[in-house]
Amino acid sequence: MSLTLNAPLDMHLHLRDGQMLENIAKCSASSFSGGLIMPNLVPPVSTKEDVIAYKQRIIQAIGDEEFEPYMTLFFDPSFDREFLESIKSDIIGIKLYPAGITTNSEGGLSGFDVEELRGVLTAMSELDIPLCVHGETNGFVMDREAEFVSIYERLATAFPKLKIIMEHITTKASVDALDRFENLYATITIHHLLITLDDVAGGMLNPHLFCKPIAKRPEDRDALRKVALEAHPKVSFGSDSAPHPREAKESCGCAAGVFTAPIALQLLAQLFDEADAPIENLQAFVSGNGQKIYGISPIPKTITLEKSPFVVPNDYNGVVPMYAGETISYSIISKD
Ligand code: DOR
Ligand code: ZN
């Protein structure tokens, strides 16, 4: 049994820089038509020059693969309208991190005072630049995302025309918020559709499944699965594939991030198949919805998968993928 996906998109992707970019960029570029590239480099991607130069380095690293890097900028509350107008055509969105909440987010935002943000968010709203948000407070780790929902609500109410993307949602609370506000959207990763906290820490600790936000409860995963499998129009696939060197994961002080880029499509095909969900829904979740939400027309590219066992490699250039050494049930058989 085979299935063909048109222009699959990864609407939340970490490609890193330097040697790591060289090592892993092709893992995404060979399966996807494009990806929304996260700006949390050290230092972050925060100027027009940074965006243009980083995009060039990505294009260099992907070589002859057809892949569009959709660039983002690291949010700063001091961005003014003139600056945003000048950068609008170079980016697809602006990524907001609460300060210190995850990898390389030290330069993020310290407070969510609507009045302090009014200038920048009004300008983004008028210029139609989406705001992509890592939505976690610094509360108890299992409650951080649910606590952040009230901040999403405040922002969505104060800026009703601003497109706000709740990135990599992991809770039922975030799923429920989607339908309460016209301007709230979300991305969902493949790992949060597959695992719960039990897979991370319920038995032997698995550092390769440790990420931010941490995987939650079965009922949260069920809520995420429901909207992904029905291809809720405000939800798109974003892997949050976040490579770290093996030593940084298999160590005391394990870095957060799950590396899924090379197996994301295979796992999505397996999940939709096992749930008996229609292929059209997978197509919408992995491409159509993202195209509509962001108003983009991706590079034409088809990826054909079939139901045949694939043994996940132990590492890709020193980065350990999710399910390393395990067998999954779908393989990529051709690309066009
Ligand atoms: O687990 C994560 N890893 N979550 C993030 O938000 C960032 C990412 C990374 O950059 O490693
Ligand atoms: Zn991320």
Side-chain angles (χ1 to χ4, degrees), residues 14 16 40 97 102-103 134 168 210-212 240 242 244 256-257:
H14 296 268
R16 312 300 193 205
N40 62 331
Y97 288 95
T102 187
T103 311
H134 183 117
H168 44 54
F210 172 65
C211 65
K212 301 284 179 68
D240 199 17
H244 292 276

Side-chain angles (χ1 to χ4, degrees), residues 85-329:
E85 271 171 12
S86 75
I87 202 166
K88 179 176 155 59
S89 60
D90 300 300
I91 56 171
I92 192 169
I94 298 183
K95 176 71 189 286
L96 187 160
Y97 288 95
I101 204 68
T102 187
T103 311
N104 305 337
S105 63
E106 291 70 22
L109 191 65
S110 300
F112 287 85
D113 185 285
V114 165
E115 288 322 310
E116 276 168 31
L117 297 171
R118 190 166 295 282
V120 60
L121 296 185
T122 302
M124 284 176 62
S125 167
E126 287 172 5
L127 294 168
D128 202 18
I129 301 174
L131 179 72
C132 304
V133 182
H134 183 117
E136 290 193 285
T137 66
N138 55 11
F140 178 65
V141 69
M142 286 294 278
D143 297 335
R144 287 176 189 176
E145 184 177 300
E147 287 174 2
F148 200 89
V149 169
S150 65
I151 298 177
Y152 280 130
E153 292 180 347
R154 224 187 307 145
L155 296 177
T157 306
F159 306 97
K161 297 273 180 260
L162 176 68
K163 226 171 229 180
I164 301 171
I165 323 292
M166 302 186 285
E167 295 293 338
H168 44 54
I169 59 172
T170 62
T171 58
K172 182 170 183 310
S174 300
V175 171
D176 291 343
L178 262 182
D179 289 323
R180 289 205 300 273
F181 294 87
E182 207 181 319
N183 55 333
L184 281 187
Y185 299 81
T187 56
I188 303 181
T189 74
I190 182 62
H191 49 284
H192 291 117
L193 290 169
L194 293 173
I195 66 170
T196 67
L197 185 61
D198 260 0
D199 298 286
V200 187
M204 302 272 272
L205 187 67
N206 186 338
H208 299 293
L209 298 180
F210 172 65
C211 65
K212 301 284 179 68
I214 194 129
K216 305 289 188 315
R217 298 176 175 80
E219 52 271 35
D220 293 305
R221 181 181 58 180
D222 289 348
L224 299 172
R225 281 190 182 176
K226 179 170 184 301
V227 283
L229 293 168
E230 74 186 19
H232 187 298
K234 295 173 87 184
V235 168
S236 57
F237 173 66
S239 70
D240 199 17
S241 177
H244 292 276
R246 178 190 286 274
E247 319 79 76
K249 295 291 289 175
E250 297 177 0
S251 70
C252 181
C254 166
V258 182
F259 182 55
T260 53
I263 53 161
L265 287 185
Q266 298 91 318
L267 290 176
L268 282 168
Q270 177 173 332
L271 174 72
F272 275 66
D273 180 15
E274 284 171 4
D276 261 332
I279 169 80
E280 304 81 64
N281 290 14
L282 175 54
Q283 179 64 46
F285 179 58
V286 81
S287 186
N289 290 354
Q291 291 183 42
K292 286 187 197 132
I293 293 166
Y294 282 97
I296 50 175
S297 304
I299 299 170
K301 183 170 186 174
T302 58
I303 304 288
T304 301
L305 301 107
E306 76 173 8
K307 194 168 187 176
S308 64
F310 177 68
V311 181
V312 179
N314 286 326
D315 77 285
Y316 289 83
N317 292 323
V319 182
V320 180
M322 183 181 185
Y323 293 157
E326 295 181 39
T327 303
I328 59 177
S329 64

